[in-house]
Amino acid sequence: MLQVRDIRKAFHNNEVLKGVDFEVRKGDVVTILGPSGSGKTTLLRCMNFLEQADAGHLQFDEQQIDYAKVTGKEIKAIRKKTAFVFQNYNLFNNKTALENVTEGLIYGRGVAKEKAVEIGKKALDKVGLADRYDYYPSQLSGGQQQRVGIARAIAVEPEIILMDEPTSALDPELIGEVLAVIKQLAQEGKTMVIVTHEMQFAKEISTHVIFMADGNIVEEGSPSKIFYNPEKLRTRKFLQRVLPEAEYII
């Protein structure tokens, strides 16, 4: 469905992605783990051109893109197939929950307003916000705001949903409500790529796990392989830090 090959990105003299390869199949839930600064978020943002990679190739279905030569038309085509859920919600503060969901449908996809409202309400219903259509972000909890962000993503019916640490800005008691929505999407077969620090969540939801460090993919595989039988020393050290119960021999 989607393949990334030899993707590279530097900010000034700091090489953040050093030639990353991976692929996503339809129905996959790929979680990307790793320490801060490993390149996880940059990789995700390069996948739908919120960041412009310096080099590499992306194949999405039949569309093939050279990052060094990508055109505006190609970027627009990729963005129509993807949706992005941000760490910090990225909602319009002067618009209601429903307006935040319908904005992209009306102005980005050309959907008629009446139809967009119908789609937007269904999306908000799906994430448990049927009683919050007319609430502004300032009237919503962090968990509710993130659920609006997820509703906005699913409303456009993307082929892949990209999520950048969707619970990192939330208070601990609000994390569960957002994870429950994401689990529901996974159970429905939605294709997702998720950068997360929630290890237990990654164990439960993933079909494939990627561990990154220092701008490279160190190791990848099934959740059982990565969490219970990692091959690489760097992976084992990371898991021992974030999972106190881990008993890997270094």
Side-chain angles (χ1 to χ4, degrees), residues 179-195:
L179 295 184
V181 170
I182 299 172
K183 285 180 182 178
Q184 180 186 345
L185 295 177
Q187 289 165 1
E188 294 172 2
K190 301 288 187 188
T191 307
M192 294 183 279
V193 181
I194 307 170
V195 171

Side-chain angles (χ1 to χ4, degrees), residues 21-250:
D21 301 331
F22 81 102
E23 62 183 57
V24 182
R25 298 168 298 179
K26 187 174 178 61
D28 270 353
V29 178
V30 178
T31 53
I32 305 178
L33 315 177
S36 296
S38 58
K40 308 181 302 295
T41 290
T42 300
L43 174 60
L44 202 69
R45 291 174 66 88
C46 285
M47 287 171 64
N48 81 333
F49 299 93
L50 289 171
E51 294 286 355
Q52 178 67 58
D54 301 321
H57 293 82
L58 181 147
Q59 181 174 340
F60 201 137
D61 296 330
E62 300 303 314
Q63 185 178 6
Q64 302 211 29
I65 290 174
D66 182 338
Y67 275 104
K69 302 175 183 177
V70 66
T71 66
K73 183 178 180 181
E74 289 174 324
I75 291 173
K76 188 174 181 181
I78 291 295
R79 285 181 175 166
K80 281 192 171 181
K81 296 179 178 181
T82 63
F84 205 98
V85 176
F86 298 86
Q87 288 185 50
N88 296 310
Y89 327 133
N90 269 33
L91 302 181
F92 296 109
N93 290 324
N94 63 337
K95 296 189 181 297
T96 64
L98 182 57
E99 288 170 337
N100 266 283
V101 176
T102 59
E103 194 84 357
L105 291 166
I106 296 168
Y107 299 105
R109 307 288 174 117
V111 177
K113 184 174 181 180
E114 185 177 332
K115 181 65 175 174
V117 168
E118 179 186 336
I119 294 169
K121 286 181 176 179
K122 284 182 180 178
L124 287 167
D125 293 352
K126 190 177 187 67
V127 300
L129 294 174
D131 59 344
R132 295 291 189 271
Y133 296 159
D134 298 324
Y135 282 56
Y136 290 89
S138 62
Q139 298 172 302
L140 300 171
S141 70
Q144 290 169 335
Q145 289 184 62
Q146 189 60 290
R147 283 188 279 155
V148 173
I150 294 171
R152 178 177 57 190
I154 63 177
V156 297
E157 296 186 347
E159 294 184 36
I160 295 182
I161 302 174
L162 308 174
M163 297 190 181
D164 182 20
E165 299 190 24
T167 61
S168 67
L170 300 177
D171 292 333
E173 66 268 22
L174 300 177
I175 290 173
E177 66 189 56
V178 172
L179 295 184
V181 170
I182 299 172
K183 285 180 182 178
Q184 180 186 345
L185 295 177
Q187 289 165 1
E188 294 172 2
K190 301 288 187 188
T191 307
M192 294 183 279
V193 181
I194 307 170
V195 171
T196 184
H197 288 299
E198 298 289 336
M199 296 297 122
Q200 188 60 40
F201 170 68
K203 282 185 193 179
E204 294 173 6
I205 196 174
S206 306
T207 59
H208 193 77
V209 179
I210 291 172
F211 171 64
M212 289 187 68
D214 303 317
N216 292 298
I217 291 178
V218 175
E219 189 168 0
E220 60 181 308
S222 67
S224 59
K225 174 184 182 294
I226 298 301
F227 285 106
Y228 299 108
N229 193 29
E231 296 176 2
K232 304 294 185 181
L233 177 62
R234 185 69 182 85
T235 312
R236 295 199 296 271
K237 285 184 173 181
F238 172 78
L239 290 171
Q240 284 192 319
R241 276 204 313 275
V242 299
L243 290 173
E245 72 275 16
E247 296 179 353
Y248 309 111
I249 299 172
I250 296 180

